[in-house]
Amino acid sequence: MKCINCSVELVADEYKGLTIRTCPECENIWVEKDTLREFKDRTDEFLCWVDVDLWKKDEHHIVTRADKNCTVCKEYLYNVDYRGSHIVLPVCFSCKGVWISAENRKKLFSYLDNVLTNETLTGYLKEIGHEAAELVSGKESLKEELHDLKTILVLVEYRIFSKIPVLERIISGFPK
Ligand SMILES: [Zn+2]
Ligand SMILES: [Zn+2]
């Protein structure tokens, strides 16, 4: 399959047991929903805090049709933006996959940094009796783990793939 930006064939790499397809030109990454199933099945206590702002408020999705089509199925790609992150990811709802550009990975890392340094986070987790409260209070040790592609993939799993039915309902109202 080809990159949506450069039309260059993607290269498949093994990453922690997962197959990640990367563009050798622009380092755009293509991630498919099924690839992340293993992450989801392996419950990861450490990473549950990344989802914290989703528990606090109702999600507000902004979905727009992208100006590019999926290079696999040729269907429209949709840009999905979540309030709070302001990071726009192109999603193919037909293939159930998402593009994560090098720039967006940087943005996601700094978004996570902000979540982690947010003083209200630990308090909030304690308030609801969440086991992540203690993990987050030891946040210095989390820095390294934070800047890991896995963390980004888990966030994408929470924010995009687990919300696909909701997002599909939104785009079903779009003109064909
Ligand atoms: Zn590319
Ligand atoms: Zn597709």
Side-chain angles (χ1 to χ4, degrees):
M1 89 177 268
K2 287 181 175 169
C3 176
I4 48 167
N5 296 331
C6 335
S7 302
V8 168
E9 205 59 45
L10 302 186
V11 177
D13 284 314
E14 284 291 308
Y15 177 80
K16 299 195 172 178
L18 308 179
T19 305
I20 304 291
R21 290 174 207 286
T22 311
C23 171
E25 289 288 318
C26 70
E27 294 181 12
N28 209 2
I29 286 179
W30 167 253
V31 184
E32 283 176 326
K33 186 174 190 281
D34 287 346
T35 318
L36 300 187
R37 199 184 295 141
E38 202 204 327
F39 277 172
K40 213 180 170 187
D41 292 347
R42 225 193 299 146
T43 49
D44 197 328
E45 282 183 23
F46 163 75
L47 287 165
C48 47
W49 60 268
V50 303
D51 204 24
V52 69
D53 61 335
L54 299 185
W55 311 334
K56 273 193 272 190
K57 59 195 173 198
D58 281 341
E59 287 163 68
H60 177 79
H61 315 283
I62 303 165
V63 186
T64 52
R65 192 178 279 169
D67 60 358
K68 290 185 172 118
N69 288 56
C70 177
T71 52
V72 178
C73 68
K74 313 294 177 204
E75 295 286 335
Y76 286 115
L77 289 173
Y78 289 88
N79 287 324
V80 179
D81 179 6
Y82 280 81
R83 188 171 72 183
S85 67
H86 299 295
I87 297 157
V88 177
L89 299 171
V91 177
C92 176
F93 288 96
S94 170
C95 299
K96 310 257 189 296
V98 57
W99 289 98
I100 314 171
S101 66
E103 192 197 345
N104 277 336
R105 291 200 289 285
K106 241 181 257 166
K107 284 186 187 169
L108 284 162
F109 284 137
S110 63
Y111 167 76
L112 290 167
D113 273 340
N114 287 339
V115 172
L116 191 63
T117 52
N118 183 342
E119 289 303 317
T120 60
L121 176 64
T122 313
Y124 175 73
L125 289 169
K126 274 189 186 140
E127 199 180 298
I128 61 164
H130 199 282
E131 59 200 2
E134 278 178 41
L135 293 164
V136 174
S137 50
K139 54 190 162 193
E140 279 313 306
S141 59
L142 303 185
K143 289 275 176 185
E144 195 182 319
E145 190 90 11
L146 179 72
H147 284 259
D148 187 315
L149 180 62
K150 180 184 169 185
T151 313
I152 298 290
L153 296 177
V154 170
L155 191 72
V156 166
E157 167 62 39
Y158 284 145
R159 296 201 156 217
I160 308 282
F161 292 141
S162 70
K163 307 299 172 195
I164 276 184
V166 181
L167 297 168
E168 277 177 334
R169 222 175 304 137
I170 296 171
I171 65 163
S172 69
F174 283 22
K176 295 276 174 277

